[in-house]
């Protein structure tokens, strides 16, 4: 049916947009969904909107805009192009082309491309966007008029058995289920009041998670617990981002004042985990922005910093927190001067600021931070690197420096390896390209034959070191199959030397190689069989 309603050209054009705007991991997960056959009720509306239902943890409804893929929507919590949209795309694409070929393209190194959607938090608040339609109802004495202190008292009662349940069952699932379910308490409340309730539910559960680790795991953050903390922080970022902060300040200032009292106590936490620090900064950065509250918090931090004979870890903690307010005061260099020597701070520690600068189009400020954090960016995990580099390229474009981007990718190695290699190749800087491949120990077999031929045509001598290295590596394996592979490479090298009219150099190379390995009988036999005369 789709074949009659759509064209191959539409499918191909949509595919190019998917490659530009969707992360490889999301495309791969979408392909898995498509392969599992969980996409159904696929139909076309208005000749451009592909609608479908996708069975995930529940049934999600997708609208894929074939003309502008970025405008596609899904009812799942993920706010950017998601795996359900990708699965719907594959369902349509498979009618016209081989989806495996598209997946292979998606898995190849690609230039990242900036879209404003990158700056939107990945997850919206759960519980059906504040209406509680999808979370199990929770019996509670709370009303919309209840105070924040009442909320926290209820949270304590609600979770009285949570830590023991986490110890008995899967800790991460118990924790996140508790957080999701408790949000239904705010169903039917005024929207902004419910938003603030969700923020506090998040803060409470993050604190409870840290209590669990300290009490039951002797400060050992297992991967699934760390992942739960990261999910809670994603939800917190989304809750704050999508909150109506103007309405909160206009109608709920007493509740915000209570929030200040709670968050101020977080300074007493230790920094064996940084998760509470992330939440603390989010709240002050985007929610508790009253100048008097900030002034009071800064004064308390500075007083704590001056405590005589304080343990080094305590002093570092207060300096770390105080530096956050330096950023709020536009004293970025001062903050980075404090943070950069603390080697355990990952790139994710800095990302909230960098995304905020991009949202506010403070491009020079963003570039200042990328220059300061070059080493961290160059060693970051793939998703974080791609996000920063996409914004960085947009920032360079906005300040009129796009032509510098290719060469500057070298600064972000090793993370930028694929993009920098592509730049060198496209600019025909073949010597630097070969040097890069060799320095990263890329096997010759992994190099495209098209690339090798173009370099050979331009300057055959550039490939000599590559051939020599690979030939020597194969000989060191000391087995006949490897020797045979070495002979094949020798024949390729012979053709390269001949093209460069360097026959005498070739003969000397083969003579030295034969003499060096004259005791390897099997290699000598393969060398004779190879008939390697020019």
């Amino acid at each position: 049916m789709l074949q009659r309603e759509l064209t191959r050209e539409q499918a191909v054009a949509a595919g190019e947009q998917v490659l530009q705007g969707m992360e490889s991991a999301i495309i791969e997960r979408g392909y898995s969904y498509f392969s599992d056959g969980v996409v159904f009720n696929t139909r076309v509306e208005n000749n451009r909107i592909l609608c479908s239902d996708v069975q995930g943890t529940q049934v999600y409804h997708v609208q894929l805009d074939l003309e502008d893929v970025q405008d596609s929507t899904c009812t799942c919590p993920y706010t950017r192009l998601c795996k359900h949209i990708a699965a719907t795309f594959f369902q349509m694409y498979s009618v016209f082309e081989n989806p495996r070929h598209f997946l292979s393209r998606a898995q190849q190194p690609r230039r990242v491309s900036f879209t404003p959607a990158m700056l939107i938090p990945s997850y919206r608040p759960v519980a059906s966007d504040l209406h509680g339609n999808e979370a199990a109802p929770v019996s509670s004495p709370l009303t919309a008029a209840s105070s924040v202190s009442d909320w926290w008292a209820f949270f304590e009662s609600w979770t009285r058995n949570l830590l023991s349940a986490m110890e008995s069952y899967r800790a991460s699932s118990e924790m996140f289920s508790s957080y999701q379910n408790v949000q239904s308490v705010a169903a039917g409340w005024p929207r902004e009041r419910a938003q603030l309730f969700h923020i506090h539910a998040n803060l409470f559960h993050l604190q409870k998670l840290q209590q669990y680790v300290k009490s039951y795991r002797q400060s050992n953050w297992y991967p699934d617990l760390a992942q739960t903390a990261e999910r809670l922080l994603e939800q917190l970022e989304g809750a704050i981002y999508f909150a109506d902060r103007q309405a909160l300040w206009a109608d709920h200032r007493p509740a915000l004042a209570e929030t200040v009292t709670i968050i101020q106590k977080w300074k007493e936490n230790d920094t064996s985990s940084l998760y509470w620090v992330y939440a603390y900064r989010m709240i002050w950065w985007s929610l508790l922005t009253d100048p008097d509250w900030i002034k009071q918090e800064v004064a308390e931090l500075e007083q704590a910093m001056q405590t005589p004979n304080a343990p080094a870890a305590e002093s570092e903690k207060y300096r770390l927190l105080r530096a956050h307010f330096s950023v709020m005061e536009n004293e970025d260099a001062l903050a980075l001067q404090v943070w950069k020597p603390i080697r355990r701070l990952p790139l994710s520690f800095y990302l909230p600021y960098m995304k905020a600068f991009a949202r506010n189009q403070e491009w020079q400020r963003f570039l200042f931070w990328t220059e300061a954090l070059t080493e961290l960016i160059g060693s970051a995990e793939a998703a974080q690197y791609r996000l920063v580099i996409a914004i960085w390229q947009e920032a360079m474009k906005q300040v009129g420096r796009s032509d510098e981007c290719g060469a500057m990718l070298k600064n972000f190695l090793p993370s930028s390896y694929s993009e920098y290699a592509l730049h060198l190749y496209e600019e025909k800087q073949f010597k630097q390209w070969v040097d890069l491949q060799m320095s990263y120990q890329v096997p010759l077999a992994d190099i495209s034959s098209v690339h090798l031929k173009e370099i050979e045509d331009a300057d055959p001598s550039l490939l000599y070191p590559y051939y020599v290295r690979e030939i020597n590596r194969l000989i060191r394996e000391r087995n006949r199959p490897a020797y045979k592979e070495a002979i094949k490479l020798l024949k390729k090298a012979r053709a390269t030397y001949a093209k460069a009219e360097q026959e005498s150099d070739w003969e000397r190379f083969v003579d030295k190689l034969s003499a060096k390995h004259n005791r390897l009988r099997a290699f000598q036999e393969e060398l004779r069989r190879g008939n390697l005369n020019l």
Side-chain angles (χ1 to χ4, degrees):
M1 184 174 178
L2 291 179
Q3 240 171 352
R4 295 197 299 269
E5 297 181 82
L6 299 173
T7 66
R8 178 183 176 279
E9 288 71 23
Q10 283 179 294
V12 171
E16 293 305 313
Q17 292 188 59
V18 167
L19 287 174
Q20 285 293 318
M22 193 176 288
E23 300 168 13
S24 296
I26 297 296
I27 295 176
E28 290 176 15
R29 296 187 70 184
Y31 181 82
S32 296
Y33 269 53
F34 156 73
S35 299
D36 291 342
V38 297
V39 183
F40 55 98
N41 289 343
T42 308
R43 59 207 179 275
V44 179
E45 296 181 359
N46 301 324
N47 298 318
R48 62 176 285 183
I49 305 297
L50 183 66
C51 302
S52 77
D53 298 324
V54 181
Q55 179 67 59
T57 51
Q58 62 188 61
V59 176
Y60 296 111
H61 309 296
V62 172
Q63 289 190 329
L64 172 59
D65 189 328
L66 297 174
E67 292 186 13
D68 190 348
V69 171
Q70 287 294 333
D71 284 344
S72 302
T73 61
C74 178
T75 56
C76 77
Y78 198 68
T79 58
R80 299 199 290 273
L81 297 179
C82 64
K83 59 191 176 185
H84 310 108
I85 294 174
T88 300
F89 162 76
F90 277 115
Q91 185 80 0
M92 175 270 300
Y93 191 82
S94 65
V95 173
F96 302 96
E97 297 286 343
N98 188 329
R100 281 292 310 173
H101 294 167
F102 185 90
L103 180 64
S104 297
R105 284 186 64 197
Q107 292 170 331
Q108 296 300 312
R110 293 182 281 145
R111 282 196 174 90
V112 292
S113 179
F114 173 79
T115 66
M118 290 178 170
L119 305 176
I120 299 174
S122 299
Y123 290 93
R124 300 178 189 273
V126 297
S128 191
D129 196 24
L130 311 177
H131 296 296
N133 296 330
E134 294 168 10
V138 172
S139 177
S140 160
L142 298 178
T143 68
S146 300
S147 67
V148 171
S149 59
D150 291 337
W151 297 353
W152 279 69
F154 173 74
F155 294 150
E156 285 290 354
S157 174
W158 164 258
T159 60
R160 60 186 178 277
N161 298 320
L162 177 59
L163 297 191
S164 59
M166 291 172 67
E167 183 67 7
S168 301
Y169 304 102
R170 187 178 177 189
S172 56
S173 298
E174 292 292 326
M175 171 60 70
F176 209 75
S177 176
S178 172
Y179 163 63
Q180 289 180 310
N181 289 337
V182 79
Q183 295 188 58
S184 68
V185 167
W189 291 12
R191 182 177 178 83
E192 62 272 11
R193 192 74 175 178
Q195 289 171 330
L196 189 59
F197 180 85
H198 290 179
I199 290 170
H200 278 273
N202 189 296
L203 294 173
F204 177 86
H205 281 83
L206 184 60
Q207 180 174 287
K208 204 74 173 176
L209 179 60
Q210 300 201 144
Q211 180 186 341
Y212 172 77
V213 171
K214 192 169 185 178
S215 301
Y216 288 82
R217 300 297 183 189
Q218 295 80 44
S219 298
N220 189 359
W221 282 85
Y222 292 137
D224 64 326
L225 298 176
Q227 186 178 45
T228 301
E230 291 165 1
R231 288 181 67 192
L232 284 170
L233 288 171
E234 285 181 336
Q235 294 284 347
L236 179 63
E237 183 184 13
I240 296 173
Y241 180 88
F242 291 108
D244 187 342
R245 283 168 277 182
Q246 186 174 356
L248 284 172
W249 274 95
D251 302 326
H252 303 276
R253 188 178 177 90
L256 291 177
E258 286 190 89
T259 306
V260 173
T261 301
I262 290 170
I263 207 70
Q264 282 180 329
K265 294 179 181 177
W266 281 33
K267 296 193 297 293
E268 300 169 8
N269 295 335
D270 63 50
T271 55
S272 57
S273 160
L274 291 173
Y275 296 120
W276 71 266
V277 177
Y278 285 57
Y280 173 95
R281 296 182 308 162
M282 281 188 210
I283 295 293
W284 282 110
W285 181 264
S286 300
L287 196 63
L288 306 180
T289 52
D290 181 281
D292 291 336
W293 295 345
I294 292 173
K295 184 177 180 181
Q296 178 187 351
E297 183 72 353
V298 168
E300 291 182 10
L301 287 169
E302 291 180 345
Q303 182 178 358
M305 288 165 57
Q306 296 168 8
T307 303
N309 303 318
E314 283 289 294
S315 298
E316 180 185 270
K317 174 180 70 174
Y318 292 122
R319 287 197 307 273
L320 183 150
L321 296 179
R322 174 62 181 89
H324 165 73
F325 295 96
S326 295
V327 179
M328 294 185 70
E329 297 160 357
N330 291 315
E331 296 286 349
D332 296 356
L334 187 60
L336 291 169
Q337 185 179 348
V338 172
W339 288 333
K340 285 184 65 179
I342 305 176
R343 304 299 296 177
R344 64 194 180 100
L345 299 182
L347 181 61
S348 60
F349 180 88
Y350 303 93
L351 279 181
Y353 302 108
M354 301 176 80
K355 289 194 289 186
F357 301 152
R359 289 189 194 109
N360 298 332
Q361 299 187 3
E362 298 176 85
W363 302 117
Q364 290 288 5
R365 195 176 185 187
F366 178 89
L367 291 174
F368 173 80
W369 281 59
T370 54
E371 183 176 351
L373 301 173
T374 296
E375 183 179 347
L376 275 180
I377 297 169
S379 58
E381 62 179 64
Q384 293 180 0
Y385 162 77
R386 290 177 68 84
L387 172 63
V388 171
I389 288 300
I391 303 172
W392 172 74
Q393 290 174 339
E394 178 67 14
M396 294 288 280
K397 174 184 174 183
Q398 292 292 335
V399 301
R401 297 175 57 191
S402 290
D403 58 340
E404 301 175 38
C405 286
M408 289 181 67
L409 284 169
K410 183 178 182 179
N411 298 334
F412 302 114
L413 290 170
S415 293
S416 63
Y417 161 77
S418 296
E419 292 167 290
Y420 183 53
L422 184 59
H423 163 75
L424 292 176
Y425 184 80
E426 290 180 345
E427 294 297 315
K428 299 190 182 302
Q429 298 179 27
F430 293 141
K431 183 181 187 308
Q432 294 92 324
W433 185 88
V434 171
D435 290 344
L436 182 69
Q437 309 308 311
M438 293 190 65
S439 64
Y440 281 90
Q441 301 292 311
V442 179
L444 189 63
D446 290 351
I447 303 297
S448 163
S449 59
V450 174
H451 289 179
L452 291 176
K453 185 176 187 313
E454 185 169 355
I455 294 171
E456 184 180 305
D457 290 343
D459 186 350
S461 65
L462 295 177
L463 294 175
Y464 296 167
Y466 223 139
Y467 284 129
V468 170
R469 189 196 72 178
E470 288 293 292
I471 290 165
N472 285 324
R473 180 187 65 80
L474 288 165
I475 294 172
R476 285 196 299 271
E477 291 186 16
R478 301 291 181 94
N479 61 72
R480 195 172 290 271
Y483 295 153
K484 290 181 177 180
E485 288 299 316
I487 298 304
K488 290 180 182 178
L489 283 182
L490 278 167
K491 290 181 177 180
K492 290 183 179 180
R494 177 181 61 183
T496 303
Y497 276 89
K499 185 176 291 187
E501 298 181 353
Q502 295 179 345
E503 290 85 350
S504 57
D505 290 343
W506 160 258
E507 291 172 357
R508 282 193 295 270
F509 169 63
V510 174
D511 288 344
K512 288 181 179 179
L513 192 68
S514 178
K516 180 179 179 181
H517 301 292
N518 64 337
R519 295 186 179 182
L520 300 179
R521 183 187 304 171
F523 173 68
Q524 293 294 333
E525 289 175 0
E526 295 298 330
L527 197 61
R528 287 192 294 273
R529 289 174 184 167
N531 189 25
L532 291 170
N533 295 325
L534 280 164

